[in-house]
Amino acid sequence: MSPLPQLLITDYRHPTTKEEKMRDKSSQFSGKHKVNGSWVKDLSSAVGREIYERFIVCKTPEIRNTKKGDTCFLSVEVGDKTGSIELKVWQIPIPEADKVLTWFEQGKIYAIEAAVREYRDKTQLNMTWERDHANRPWICDVTDYFEEDFNMIAEWPFSFSIETLAGRINELILGMKHPGYREILQAFWNDDDWRKRFKKWPAAKRRHHAYIGGLLHHVYEMLEIGLGYSALGYDKLNVDLLVAGIILHDIGKLEEYKLGLQIEYDEDVGQIGHTVRTIELIDRAVWENKIEISETDLRALKHLILSHHGDVELGYGSAVSPQTPEARLMHCLDMTSAKTNEEYFKKHKI
């Protein structure tokens, strides 16, 4: 066989026993990072070849029927720190579909041998049941790895620091005139563990502010834009209410998202959503800290949070439509920050 690029197995002998297979897998990857050419970002140049490398499972796999209906195939998104790619396992007998689903568990890293193919101008990885199912222990199994090769959560992408943004939020909290709103915010912000998570968490799994510090950045953008309105003649806006609503509006995401090698959902919190969870957290903070605040003021704060996704008929998840100037403004700020960030990252391919 002629020499192949580094990412391919040039001297790989198919092991015969399970013990040999596991030893071979271990010796292939133990103590080694992924090699140049095997990163997801490089696979478009490897179309037509076969690779044997490690990938993290990014999503729960799905079984789909072929057009003929006599077999099915599995589709699963896998990746590394440079991106993700679709892996397909073809020609699966219908009775074996459930078994193949157990091959891939979201969040785990596997050693996979697959062909690199191109379909409709997109690179993908292909395996076939006939060739691969008898050899599962070495073709697709949990393997050794370095976390930094598979950490798919983007790092802070800006020149200014996270601490600068956090300092600005702390100033705004300390400067609030409304004691009830200030004490609610301090109940969270003065908790060191909570504040560390708030400064680290992303604001979304994908699309906007999906990076370390993304939630803090999203809140900071909303605050700085929103505060400008009071300087433009909108002096009757309840600025303390607006600031409190902006800082707190997405704190349920600290529980809705889990951070490992990628951003994952917590299914329990996901059943009620981050806005409802935020309301629960605020109520608990008021009760546990015996914060004195009128029902009217507390209701105004909750309204901002429950309506910040806009009018109910838009279908974006608001429990109620915005009914006050502060609520309407906060929705606009939320959309402006999210959409601008999303388009910025698309354009600059960050």
Side-chain angles (χ1 to χ4, degrees):
M1 184 169 65
S2 59
L4 296 175
Q6 186 180 11
L7 76 162
L8 306 180
I9 307 168
T10 57
D11 58 353
Y12 187 69
R13 177 183 63 84
H14 285 194
T16 55
T17 68
K18 184 173 182 178
E19 289 72 21
E20 272 192 76
K21 293 169 186 174
M22 296 305 291
R23 282 200 303 272
D24 194 280
K25 172 185 74 70
S26 183
S27 63
Q28 172 91 5
F29 294 122
S30 293
K32 296 181 180 179
H33 289 277
K34 291 192 66 168
V35 297
N36 292 334
S38 71
W39 302 101
V40 168
K41 69 179 179 63
D42 300 325
L43 292 181
S44 59
S45 62
V47 171
R49 305 171 183 169
E50 291 195 352
I51 62 169
Y52 182 50
E53 249 301 355
R54 293 151 293 179
F55 298 91
I56 185 172
V57 175
C58 304
K59 291 184 178 179
T60 302
E62 299 178 353
I63 288 289
R64 304 171 186 171
N65 291 327
T66 58
K67 290 182 178 180
K68 291 183 178 180
D70 54 341
T71 61
C72 58
F73 67 94
L74 178 140
S75 175
V76 60
E77 183 181 329
V78 299
D80 55 37
K81 69 178 182 180
T82 68
S84 61
I85 188 171
E86 184 180 20
L87 168 67
K88 290 183 176 178
V89 181
W90 294 100
Q91 300 172 353
I92 303 169
I94 300 294
E96 303 290 344
D98 290 341
K99 180 189 295 184
V100 181
L101 278 173
T102 67
W103 289 12
F104 303 94
E105 183 178 337
Q106 183 177 349
K108 286 192 174 181
I109 295 167
Y110 297 86
I112 296 171
E113 183 179 38
V116 185
R117 298 285 184 260
E118 186 173 22
Y119 179 68
R120 293 182 177 176
D121 298 323
K122 291 188 67 175
T123 306
Q124 60 180 223
L125 299 176
N126 283 191
M127 299 167 65
T128 57
W129 169 265
E130 285 85 351
R131 186 192 72 174
D132 299 330
H133 80 280
N135 299 309
R136 262 211 81 255
W138 61 270
I139 288 183
C140 174
D141 213 333
V142 178
T143 182
D144 300 316
Y145 61 91
F146 285 95
E147 285 193 1
E148 54 264 40
D149 288 357
F150 300 93
N151 189 344
M152 300 184 72
I153 306 175
E155 294 294 328
W156 179 248
F158 302 103
S159 57
F160 50 92
S161 73
I162 287 176
E163 293 303 326
T164 298
L165 274 58
R168 172 61 170 155
I169 291 175
N170 186 57
E171 289 176 3
L172 291 173
I173 294 173
L174 293 175
M176 295 185 78
K177 297 178 180 178
H178 191 289
Y181 294 149
R182 183 178 63 249
E183 288 175 23
I184 291 173
L185 289 168
Q186 288 177 328
F188 293 103
W189 195 257
N190 291 345
D191 181 323
D192 290 342
D193 290 337
W194 187 93
R195 189 175 64 254
K196 287 177 182 178
R197 294 177 71 228
F198 186 86
K199 292 191 295 184
K200 179 180 180 180
W201 241 241
K205 182 176 172 65
R206 297 176 184 272
R207 302 174 71 88
H208 78 92
H209 299 91
Y211 45 82
I212 296 298
L215 177 58
L216 175 69
H217 191 211
H218 176 48
V219 165
Y220 176 80
E221 288 177 338
M222 291 175 64
L223 286 169
E224 293 298 346
I225 300 170
L227 288 171
Y229 273 78
S230 63
L232 294 174
Y234 292 93
D235 55 339
K236 294 188 184 301
L237 281 175
N238 187 332
V239 176
D240 281 356
L241 170 61
L242 181 65
V243 168
I246 290 173
I247 295 174
L248 295 172
H249 80 284
D250 272 347
I251 63 171
K253 290 183 177 180
L254 297 180
E255 298 181 10
E256 186 179 38
Y257 298 139
K258 298 184 294 184
L259 300 191
L261 294 174
Q262 57 184 348
I263 305 168
E264 300 175 10
Y265 284 112
D266 184 294
E267 294 182 0
D268 292 336
V269 178
Q271 287 180 354
I272 62 172
H274 69 273
T275 54
V276 174
R277 184 57 183 149
T278 297
I279 297 299
E280 292 178 340
L281 291 170
I282 291 172
D283 279 337
R284 188 173 71 184
V286 170
W287 181 77
E288 288 183 348
N289 293 277
K290 298 180 174 58
I291 296 172
E292 294 185 5
I293 184 171
S294 71
E295 285 295 328
T296 300
D297 288 346
L298 186 57
R299 187 183 305 114
L301 176 60
K302 291 180 180 180
H303 175 67
L304 263 65
I305 292 161
L306 293 172
S307 65
H308 79 269
H309 287 162
D311 293 312
V312 172
E313 53 266 29
L314 294 176
Y316 294 147
S318 283
V320 294
S321 298
Q323 298 169 22
T324 65
E326 292 83 8
R328 182 62 65 183
L329 175 57
M330 196 169 96
H331 163 61
C332 293
L333 295 171
D334 185 56
M335 289 292 290
T336 298
S337 171
K339 292 298 183 182
T340 301
N341 185 266
E342 180 181 356
E343 294 302 323
Y344 178 83
F345 276 72
K346 280 182 182 178
K347 180 178 180 180
H348 296 282
K349 298 179 180 179
I350 298 176

